[in-house]
Amino acid sequence: MPLRYHCSLDGMEENWVEVNPIWTRKEMRELTETQDITVIEAFWARKILACRIETLDGEPVTDPALLTAELAESSLDARLCDFLGYVLMQAAAHLRTLGPLSGRLSSDTAGTKTTKTAE
């Protein structure tokens, strides 16, 4: 199930993105270690599955593949560009916290406590 993030900036609450929840540790490391916009744009292309991001002329971008083109055309509000970058970092951080929660402690099949005796 995709992770959905809504923009909470005043007047921009209608903007949202859905992020793919499947990430590798390598991808998380690459994202957190870069400031290269081309690397970040590649993550947008791979990780953003759906969106509604308004351009400066009021027309929303609803195809994630068009986000980088809109950025190149400078038709996105800078605050929304920051939101898009923040979403990827937030998704990566959220997914990192789920690791320990994905397992459960095993018990013996009888449900009774076992003790080890000395020989």
Side-chain angles (χ1 to χ4, degrees):
M1 174 184 274
L3 305 171
R4 183 176 268 214
Y5 293 90
H6 291 267
C7 184
S8 61
L9 296 170
D10 288 339
M12 297 187 171
E13 294 87 352
E14 297 297 319
N15 295 282
W16 57 267
V17 295
E18 287 184 352
V19 178
N20 185 335
I22 308 299
W23 291 59
T24 65
R25 293 188 73 185
K26 180 181 177 189
E27 287 175 321
M28 288 183 187
R29 188 174 51 254
E30 285 174 355
L31 181 64
T32 57
E33 292 176 355
T34 191
Q35 292 186 14
D36 184 345
I37 191 64
T38 58
V39 173
I40 294 169
E41 287 174 347
F43 272 95
W44 287 347
R46 287 195 320 267
K47 297 300 179 186
I48 296 180
L49 303 175
C51 66
R52 187 195 179 286
I53 301 293
E54 287 186 20
T55 61
L56 291 174
D57 64 10
E59 290 297 316
V61 176
T62 57
D63 180 355
L66 299 177
L67 285 176
T68 54
E70 294 297 334
L71 180 65
E73 293 293 320
S74 299
S75 61
L76 295 181
D77 186 302
R79 295 170 295 172
L80 286 177
C81 293
D82 288 345
F83 165 70
L84 292 170
Y86 168 77
V87 160
L88 291 177
M89 297 300 283
Q90 189 68 18
H94 172 75
L95 293 170
R96 266 199 243 46
T97 66
L98 297 178
L101 301 176
S102 63
R104 64 180 173 83
L105 183 61
S106 296
S107 63
D108 65 285
T109 57
T112 59
K113 185 176 179 180
T114 59
T115 56
K116 184 174 182 177
T117 57
E119 295 180 14

